[in-house]
Amino acid sequence: MRPGPLADGRMSDPYRVGIDPASPVVPETGPSAWNIANYLTVLRLALVPVFGSLLLSRGGESPALRWAAFGVFALAMVTDRIDGDLARSRGLVTNVGKVLDPIADKALVTMALVGLSSIGEVMWWVTVVVLVREWGITAMRFWVIRHGVMAAGRGGKLKTLLQTFGIGFFLWPRATLPAPGFWDALAWTLLGAAVVVTVVTGVDYLVQALRLRRTSERAVRKRAERAERAARRAGEGSG
């Protein structure tokens, strides 16, 4: 746990100007979990069942309900961008938010892909590959949290962008639009690219996690402590 803002002689409160969201632990002296950024994250979680209900109603064959599902999905994605910007710019990063935000994101993507597969829009293997990566990386982040935080890189941001637009176009009732073949091709191109980037970035995150667990300050300290204990036991045994 890091010391409070004045413990090391600093005369300004870092929470008034924002803190690094990649820091592994937010101090207890930080902002309250009851803030606007976290409210938006909770709203995004609450929108997941609403979105799923609209998408699956009438087997996904109602154009009006499909547009409504797309609207809810778009609203949820907008809140994802807004709550992140607010948390960073206003110093509202909290441990609660750092846990809830990725869960809300993954829940929305999970509902979207499972729903689209259930109504025959997306092959199940695509859904399985994406979701194994998404939830696997989330679990991996918690696995290495004591060693540090794996910040999202450009590949992860590109993956999110491709997934958002790919899923968004699949939510449209494309058969009712002019040139439906064009919209089908666009949806598949974006989602196909998202799957490729999802797999590539997943492998990269795995490599990062394994490296972090070997090279972090905590890992180095633990190895030094084990070596010291082993040396001490060896010395006692020889004595």
Side-chain angles (χ1 to χ4, degrees):
M1 190 69 69
R2 294 182 299 176
L6 302 181
D8 56 1
R10 287 173 289 160
M11 298 305 295
S12 62
D13 186 346
Y15 292 102
R16 295 186 181 277
V17 295
I19 63 174
D20 181 5
S23 60
V25 178
V26 176
E28 294 177 357
T29 56
S32 168
W34 301 101
N35 62 64
I36 184 62
N38 287 347
Y39 290 154
L40 289 174
T41 301
V42 172
L43 172 63
R44 189 159 71 258
L45 272 171
L47 288 175
V48 171
V50 177
F51 162 68
S53 176
L54 291 170
L55 175 60
L56 297 174
S57 293
R58 303 181 187 177
E61 297 180 356
S62 169
L65 291 175
R66 290 288 288 271
W67 282 118
F70 169 76
V72 173
F73 178 79
L75 174 62
M77 296 310 298
V78 168
T79 67
D80 182 31
R81 177 59 182 270
I82 293 175
D83 66 18
D85 289 345
L86 285 174
R88 287 186 291 270
S89 65
R90 299 189 180 183
L92 299 178
V93 178
T94 64
N95 289 333
V96 171
K98 292 174 73 171
V99 172
L100 286 183
D101 187 70
I103 290 177
D105 296 342
K106 302 302 184 287
L108 184 64
V109 171
T110 298
M111 184 68 259
L113 290 175
V114 170
L116 288 169
S117 293
S118 298
I119 62 178
E121 292 272 352
V122 174
M123 290 90 76
W124 276 105
W125 71 264
V126 172
T127 295
V128 170
V129 168
V130 173
L131 296 188
V132 166
R133 186 273 189 197
E134 294 295 328
W135 289 103
I137 294 302
T138 298
M140 193 180 302
R141 288 180 184 276
F142 285 104
W143 180 53
V144 302
I145 192 67
R146 291 186 176 182
H147 296 268
V149 172
M150 298 184 299
R154 292 183 179 179
K157 294 176 182 178
L158 176 61
K159 179 267 303 179
T160 299
L161 185 66
L162 290 170
Q163 281 185 2
T164 299
F165 280 94
I167 290 172
F169 282 120
F170 268 104
L171 294 174
W172 288 13
R174 301 178 306 286
T176 66
L177 299 175
F182 168 78
W183 297 112
D184 283 343
L186 181 60
W188 276 114
T189 298
L190 290 170
L191 190 60
V195 171
V196 172
V197 176
T198 294
V199 173
V200 171
T201 55
V203 173
D204 182 57
Y205 277 126
L206 176 60
V207 172
Q208 285 187 51
L210 295 176
R211 183 186 301 120
L212 185 61
R213 284 184 65 89
R214 292 196 309 270
T215 62
S216 70
E217 181 180 343
R218 175 186 173 86
V220 172
R221 185 176 66 253
K222 289 292 185 181
R223 284 197 297 270
E225 291 173 354
R226 286 196 296 268
E228 183 180 350
R229 288 196 297 269
R232 188 163 52 248
R233 285 196 297 269
E236 293 173 353
S238 61

